[in-house]
């Protein structure tokens, strides 16, 4: 008996799918390493993809609710209760849980990128990128691109970890707890405007949640790609094998991979 089962709501057109395992497989195939190491690296990337897709699910749920509420909401006009200080606002249901879940999955996805070294160096770092950067500096030198790229990610990773810790430890973490603000109305030039849901660490200006979700997802995808590039440079089979970046305008909608293996001097068409 053949059995078919749906395992994900997202396919190859989703960057979190295309630019993790799918993109990595042909790249890892040209590593000068054992098959066991190849498979172990792909397993780490499956973890990155799995946690990223939970982030994407939270993002898409938030986007759909924001759009639905915006579309159906009728802005109060002059003479409406708004002028008397009482009015009804649209709202995203369970906003804080959406944000908390997103941050947890983002932290787990980052931790999976930090463990991508483990199959090759018997050492993974999870989300502790400050330790990762110190290790790379000692092993490869301060000027090595592996060291500089990991070091460049430290502040981004620290920020996500701080935000998640502000959820887990709201009474002890600096900047805790996370602050969530649902839809609101503000007056701009005397006219009411709808303000989308926002969040921040305590004491910081509120930022639109949906914009932050998009930025964080893209940053984690890029982080995983950069670690893959670093490993490729250390383990590629031959110097004439390189990684080429596909221009944005040439990436396929159904599979928008960014990186591909190429011969030196022959960029992708």
């Amino acid at each position: 008996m053949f059995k078919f089962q749906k395992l994900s709501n997202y396919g190859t057109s989703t960057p979190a799918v295309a630019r993790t395992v799918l993109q990595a497989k042909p790249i890892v195939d040209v590593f000068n390493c054992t098959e066991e190491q190849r498979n172990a690296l792909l397993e780490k990337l499956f973890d990155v993809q799995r946690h990223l897709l939970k982030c994407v699910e939270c993002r898409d749920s938030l986007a759909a609710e924001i759009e639905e509420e915006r579309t159906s909401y009728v802005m109060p006009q002059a003479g409406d209760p708004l002028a008397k200080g009482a009015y009804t606002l649209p709202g995203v249901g369970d906003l804080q849980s959406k944000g908390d879940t997103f941050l947890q999955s983002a932290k787990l996805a980052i931790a999976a990128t930090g463990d991508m070294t483990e199959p090759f160096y018997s050492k993974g770092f999870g989300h502790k990128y400050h330790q990762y950067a110190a290790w790379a500096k000692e092993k490869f030198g301060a000027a090595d691109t592996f060291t500089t790229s990991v070091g460049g990610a430290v502040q981004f990773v620290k920020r996500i970890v701080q935000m998640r810790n502000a959820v887990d430890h709201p009474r002890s973490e600096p900047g805790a707890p996370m602050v969530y603000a649902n839809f609101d109305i503000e007056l701009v030039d005397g006219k009411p405007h709808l303000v989308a849901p926002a969040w921040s660490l305590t004491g910081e200006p509120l930022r639109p949640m949906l914009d932050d979700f998009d930025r964080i997802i893209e940053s984690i995808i890029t982080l995983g790609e950069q670690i893959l590039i670093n490993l490729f440079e250390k383990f590629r089979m031959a110097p004439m094998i390189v990684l080429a970046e596909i221009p944005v305008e040439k990436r396929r909608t159904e599979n928008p991979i960014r990186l591909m293996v190429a011969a030196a001097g022959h960029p992708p068409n």
Side-chain angles (χ1 to χ4, degrees), residues 66-95:
I66 288 175
E67 179 60 25
E68 181 180 359
E69 294 295 321
R70 279 189 184 279
T71 301
S72 61
Y73 185 65
V74 178
M75 184 68 69
Q77 301 299 317
D80 282 354
L82 176 61
K84 301 176 183 178
Y87 51 94
T88 301
L89 282 169
V92 170
D94 212 9
L95 181 67

Side-chain angles (χ1 to χ4, degrees), residues 211-231:
D211 290 351
D212 264 15
F213 279 18
D214 286 336
R215 179 184 60 81
I216 291 168
I217 290 169
E218 175 61 26
S219 295
I220 297 174
I221 292 173
T222 303
L223 179 60
E225 288 176 328
Q226 189 57 53
I227 301 301
L228 181 64
I229 292 169
N230 292 337
L231 292 170

Side-chain angles (χ1 to χ4, degrees), residues 66-195:
I66 288 175
E67 179 60 25
E68 181 180 359
E69 294 295 321
R70 279 189 184 279
T71 301
S72 61
Y73 185 65
V74 178
M75 184 68 69
Q77 301 299 317
D80 282 354
L82 176 61
K84 301 176 183 178
Y87 51 94
T88 301
L89 282 169
V92 170
D94 212 9
L95 181 67
Q96 182 171 341
S97 292
K98 286 181 171 63
D100 291 353
T101 300
F102 179 91
L103 287 172
Q104 175 66 7
S105 296
K107 182 179 176 181
L108 290 171
I110 288 171
T113 69
D115 286 337
M116 288 169 63
T117 51
E118 197 278 331
F120 305 95
Y121 299 103
S122 299
K123 197 169 184 66
F125 299 90
H127 65 266
K128 297 179 180 178
Y129 262 66
H130 61 292
Q131 295 181 6
Y132 196 175
W135 170 84
K137 182 178 180 180
E138 181 178 352
K139 188 165 188 66
F140 304 120
D144 192 273
T145 54
F146 203 130
T147 304
T148 56
S149 67
V150 172
V154 169
Q155 288 305 311
F156 164 70
V157 172
K158 181 180 179 181
R159 177 69 176 179
I160 301 304
V161 172
Q162 183 184 17
M163 292 172 74
R164 179 57 205 179
N165 286 350
V167 174
D168 291 336
H169 313 290
R171 293 178 181 160
S172 59
E173 181 72 12
M178 285 293 295
V179 176
Y180 290 89
N182 220 307
F183 276 105
D184 202 352
I185 289 179
E186 65 177 18
L187 294 177
V188 179
D189 297 328
K191 296 181 180 180
H193 286 262
L194 199 59
V195 180

Side-chain angles (χ1 to χ4, degrees), residues 30 232-233 236-244 260-267:
V30 298
F232 172 84
E233 292 297 329
R236 59 180 163 176
M237 287 181 176
M240 69 282 298
I241 301 173
V242 299
L243 286 184
M260 64 178 293
V261 176
H266 296 277

